Amino acid sequence: MNSLATRTVRELALEIPGATRVFEKMGIDYCCGGKRSLADACTVAGVTFDEVQKSLETSTASHEGTDEQNFHTATLEDLTNHVVRTHHSFTRLEIARLNALLEKVCAAHGENHAELFEINLLFRELGADLETHMGKEERVLFPYIIRMEAAAKQGLPLYRPPFGTVANPVRMMTLEHDRAGELLKEIRLLSSNYTAPTDGCISYQTLYKALDELEKDLHQHIHLENNILFPRAVEMEGNTRK
């Protein structure tokens, strides 16, 4: 079997420049579903392995020599700051905007498109979950990771936190990421892949476009945490306590 087919999606997302864009386009889950082999992920997404392989090869060639930010070698403090400034800020703004937009579209089109009410309920659950989730990261997990990194650099002892080990909140954050992914999949299914109906007004079209963009940003957001930040933090804590 092609060795690429047996590699995990996570490994390829980390190693191949532009791979996440290819996976996004192909509908391959590279954040919550990153532990699957590429072959299995292709089957789940309903795309052929050959098609994905060609796209990855093209992506590698087109990204040669580019100056993309390298999150694999950035400090964990820089990485957590990037997540907060770029993804948490965007998510909070979009949750507030889309809650209001959903109410407007439900009032105007709900009679003919009952799925909007279910989408509204799912999105409100998603928004509430994400607000709580991001708060826990910003108040508890990220500050601990930053202190841990500082202690490691200075050769200082690392005091055991109330949660015992960084692996414990990481495990919880990962489970919450999984739930967010499930809610997004339900919303995408109910919205026919964010395709507004022919009688949909500009607000309806704007809503679905914004939901699609939020989902893509959350995929990148979760990828950075699940596949880069969290594994690096767990490894650093283990090395610091040896």
Side-chain angles (χ1 to χ4, degrees):
M1 180 182 287
N2 187 312
S3 61
L4 194 67
T6 61
R7 303 286 302 284
T8 67
V9 173
R10 174 185 181 275
E11 291 171 336
L12 299 174
L14 293 175
E15 295 174 12
I16 298 179
T20 57
R21 292 183 179 88
V22 171
F23 294 152
E24 196 76 59
K25 182 179 178 181
M26 300 290 186
I28 291 174
D29 182 359
Y30 58 89
C31 48
C32 299
K35 294 181 180 180
R36 288 193 182 101
S37 70
L38 181 58
D40 288 343
C42 289
T43 300
V44 171
V47 294
T48 67
F49 170 76
D50 288 344
E51 181 182 9
V52 175
Q53 182 178 28
K54 289 177 183 177
S55 294
L56 288 173
E57 290 170 352
T58 301
S59 175
T60 301
S62 65
H63 281 78
E64 285 182 356
T66 58
D67 189 27
E68 291 187 352
Q69 187 170 1
N70 193 338
F71 293 114
H72 313 296
T73 57
T75 66
L76 297 187
E77 181 175 11
D78 284 346
L79 183 48
T80 57
N81 287 340
H82 170 79
V83 167
V84 172
R85 287 196 305 265
T86 302
H87 297 293
H88 285 196
S89 295
F90 175 77
T91 299
R92 286 194 173 99
L93 288 171
E94 288 302 280
I95 287 171
R97 181 170 80 101
L98 290 176
N99 275 332
L101 191 54
L102 264 164
E103 289 295 330
K104 179 180 178 180
V105 174
C106 282
H109 295 276
E111 184 176 350
N112 295 324
H113 299 283
E115 72 277 2
L116 284 168
F117 296 112
E118 191 168 354
I119 290 172
N120 192 19
L121 289 174
L122 290 169
F123 185 77
R124 287 193 176 278
E125 180 182 349
L126 175 67
D129 287 353
L130 288 173
E131 288 283 6
T132 302
H133 174 89
M134 293 185 295
K136 288 187 288 188
E137 288 184 334
E138 292 170 13
R139 291 191 301 271
V140 180
L141 179 56
F142 290 178
Y144 172 73
I145 289 174
I146 292 170
R147 289 196 301 271
M148 177 180 65
E149 183 175 53
K153 287 180 178 179
Q154 298 171 36
L156 299 174
L158 180 63
Y159 295 100
R160 186 174 293 276
F163 44 77
T165 171
V166 74
N168 291 327
V170 160
R171 188 179 305 110
M172 181 58 66
M173 294 302 100
T174 302
L175 289 173
E176 291 177 3
H177 287 164
D178 291 345
R179 178 56 184 160
E182 291 168 1
L183 290 169
L184 286 166
K185 287 177 182 176
E186 290 184 58
I187 292 172
R188 178 174 282 278
L189 181 62
L190 285 166
S191 64
S192 300
N193 289 320
Y194 302 121
T195 304
T198 54
D199 63 338
C201 63
I202 293 298
S203 293
Y204 207 140
Q205 296 170 35
T206 300
L207 170 67
Y208 276 8
K209 181 179 179 181
L211 284 169
D212 189 24
E213 290 171 353
L214 176 63
E215 181 180 6
K216 287 182 171 65
D217 185 80
L218 281 168
H219 287 167
Q220 285 289 328
H221 173 180
I222 293 172
H223 164 64
L224 287 177
E225 292 186 359
N226 279 12
N227 296 335
I228 302 177
L229 175 62
F230 293 166
R232 287 184 60 191
V234 170
E235 181 181 16
M236 178 175 288
E237 186 184 58
N239 291 336
T240 303
R241 288 181 170 166
K242 286 181 179 178

